[in-house]
């Protein structure tokens, strides 16, 4: 049934957010109706997710493994919203969904930008309006997908390095990591979520969260944003020591570095803190 619904849609039908919402609402009603007969709405929702994956895989395979995009790809976001709404617990299935998204887009911007910038601004940043209704719901959705990605052991090849979802660069933000972008725009709530799921604050060959933090601290050291201060406190709980930048003239990192707690720079961290950091490595 679900595959027939996807097949009958016009190619561009799911580009607009309100159209995707209409389909989500319609399929939710179908799931409710089926669950009244079968008794388990999550299983019905899992069937919808699997049908969307099969639809995407089949159409992609028929086109020489090149995604046709349009509705053929956007159905993945419809069922992503359904899976979140109905709290589907099958991590392997959600992992397959995330893998299908990444194989075509090479990023998870559409899932993450709403949690950082809010659902309205996400349309400007990534060209895609988030399917989640508020920034708070976006953050919960990020938690949901990160948790299932961890359980399913989802990893993606970034320049030869196996990378987890939480560290996948954001194409729409100069390929910075989500945690670095969170610091850049001073969002301590989503920063905390990303760090709880193991986001790396040090990343080679890309702007990392520590660099962004130190630079922002040095921009206006006399008038620090309270959210930036909270970001700093949050990151300081995850690192043992931050090496001093090379002391050269006009080094943009020195002013901000001097504002970091001495326990993370020039002196030894507390034993309790070291144990916590080692535990989460």
């Amino acid at each position: 049934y679900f595959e027939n619904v996807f097949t009958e849609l016009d190619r561009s039908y799911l580009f607009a957010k309100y159209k995707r919402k209409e389909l989500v609402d319609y399929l939710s009603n179908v799931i409710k109706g089926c669950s009244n007969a079968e008794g388990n709405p999550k299983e019905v929702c899992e069937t919808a997710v699997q049908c969307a994956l099969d639809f995407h895989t089949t159409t992609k395979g028929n086109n020489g493994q090149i995604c046709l995009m349009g509705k053929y790809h956007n159905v993945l976001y419809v069922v992503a919203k359904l899976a979140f709404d109905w709290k589907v617990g099958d991590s392997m299935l959600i992992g397959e969904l995330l893998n299908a998204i990444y194989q075509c887009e090479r990023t998870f911007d559409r899932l993450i930008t709403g949690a950082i910038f809010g659902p309205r601004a996400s349309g400007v940043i990534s060209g895609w309006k988030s399917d989640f209704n508020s920034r708070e719901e976006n953050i919960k959705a990020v938690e949901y997908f990160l948790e299932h990605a961890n359980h399913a052991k989802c990893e993606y090849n970034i320049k030869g390095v196996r990378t987890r979802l939480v560290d996948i660069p954001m194409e729409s933000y100069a390929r910075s990591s989500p945690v670095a972008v969170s610091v850049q725009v001073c969002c301590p709530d989503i920063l905390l979520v990303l760090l709880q799921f193991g986001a790396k604050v040090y990343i080679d060959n890309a702007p990392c969260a520590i660099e962004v933090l130190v630079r922002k601290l040095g921009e206006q050291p006399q008038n620090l944003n309270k959210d930036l201060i909270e970001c700093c406190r949050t990151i300081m709980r995850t690192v043992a020591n931050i090496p001093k930048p090379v002391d050269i003239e006009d080094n943009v990192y020195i002013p901000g570095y001097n504002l970091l707690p001495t326990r993370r720079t020039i002196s030894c961290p507390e034993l309790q803190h070291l144990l916590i950091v080692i535990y989460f490595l």
Side-chain angles (χ1 to χ4, degrees):
Y1 172 80
F2 292 109
E3 191 163 338
N4 290 337
V5 172
F6 302 144
T7 302
E8 292 171 2
L9 298 174
D10 291 336
R11 179 187 176 88
S12 60
Y13 183 84
L14 297 177
F15 180 75
K17 176 181 177 177
Y18 79 94
K19 290 290 188 181
R20 297 194 300 275
K21 185 178 185 305
E22 285 180 358
L23 184 57
V24 168
D25 292 342
Y26 171 73
L27 293 178
S28 287
N29 288 330
V30 172
I31 291 170
K32 288 177 185 176
C34 292
S35 64
N36 289 335
E38 300 182 14
N40 193 333
K42 289 186 179 181
E43 289 185 1
V44 180
C45 187
E46 287 174 4
T47 301
V49 174
Q50 188 61 62
C51 285
L53 284 169
D54 293 342
F55 177 74
H56 177 262
T57 301
T58 300
T59 55
K60 184 177 177 179
N62 292 339
N63 195 45
Q65 295 304 319
I66 298 174
C67 184
L68 292 166
M69 302 309 286
K71 72 169 184 179
Y72 303 99
H73 183 76
N74 294 341
V75 293
L76 299 178
Y77 288 97
V78 170
V79 294
K81 182 65 164 66
L82 284 172
F84 171 77
D85 288 345
W86 290 95
K87 298 296 181 284
V88 169
D90 187 339
S91 292
M92 298 309 296
L93 181 63
I94 301 303
E96 287 182 39
L97 175 61
L98 294 170
N99 291 341
I101 290 173
Y102 183 79
Q103 286 168 7
C104 297
E105 298 182 32
R106 300 298 173 184
T107 185
F108 289 104
D109 287 18
R110 293 182 180 184
L111 289 179
I112 294 177
T113 51
I116 299 175
F117 300 100
R120 293 184 179 180
S122 65
V124 178
I125 301 296
S126 65
W128 179 267
K129 290 185 178 179
S130 172
D131 293 298
F132 303 98
N133 298 323
S134 64
R135 186 166 176 272
E136 291 71 24
E137 187 179 59
N138 272 275
I139 292 175
K140 290 179 180 178
V142 168
E143 289 186 77
Y144 172 81
F145 289 112
L146 286 176
E147 182 173 359
H148 284 297
N150 281 357
H151 288 163
K153 302 186 186 309
C154 294
E155 292 185 337
Y156 307 95
N157 193 321
I158 304 293
K159 297 181 179 179
V161 178
R162 301 300 294 172
T163 305
R164 295 186 302 145
L165 188 156
V166 72
D167 292 316
I168 296 296
M170 297 179 66
E171 291 287 347
S172 54
Y173 211 91
R175 291 193 59 77
S176 296
S177 67
V179 70
V181 177
S182 299
V183 175
Q184 181 66 47
V185 297
C186 300
C187 293
D189 46 3
I190 184 61
L191 171 65
L192 178 60
V193 169
L194 295 171
L195 292 175
Q196 286 174 335
F197 282 93
K200 296 179 180 179
V201 294
Y202 292 108
I203 296 179
D204 294 332
N205 303 319
C208 71
I210 291 292
E211 292 178 35
V212 174
L213 173 65
V214 172
R215 189 157 190 162
K216 284 192 71 68
L217 286 172
E219 288 176 355
Q220 292 182 313
Q222 306 303 324
N223 187 26
L224 295 177
N225 183 305
K226 66 177 183 179
D227 287 333
L228 178 60
I229 294 173
E230 187 60 32
C231 286
C232 180
R233 289 173 178 166
T234 301
I235 289 182
M236 291 304 104
R237 294 201 296 266
T238 69
V239 296
N241 181 264
I242 302 174
K244 187 175 183 178
V246 178
D247 192 7
I248 59 176
E249 188 176 357
D250 298 328
N251 191 313
V252 295
Y253 297 107
I254 294 296
Y257 182 83
N258 291 334
L259 295 176
L260 297 177
T262 57
R263 284 288 192 176
R264 302 294 175 268
T265 55
I266 61 176
S267 62
C268 296
E270 308 90 328
L271 179 59
Q272 182 181 11
H273 177 73
L274 278 177
L275 292 173
I276 293 172
V277 171
I278 292 171
Y279 177 80
F280 284 103
L281 285 178

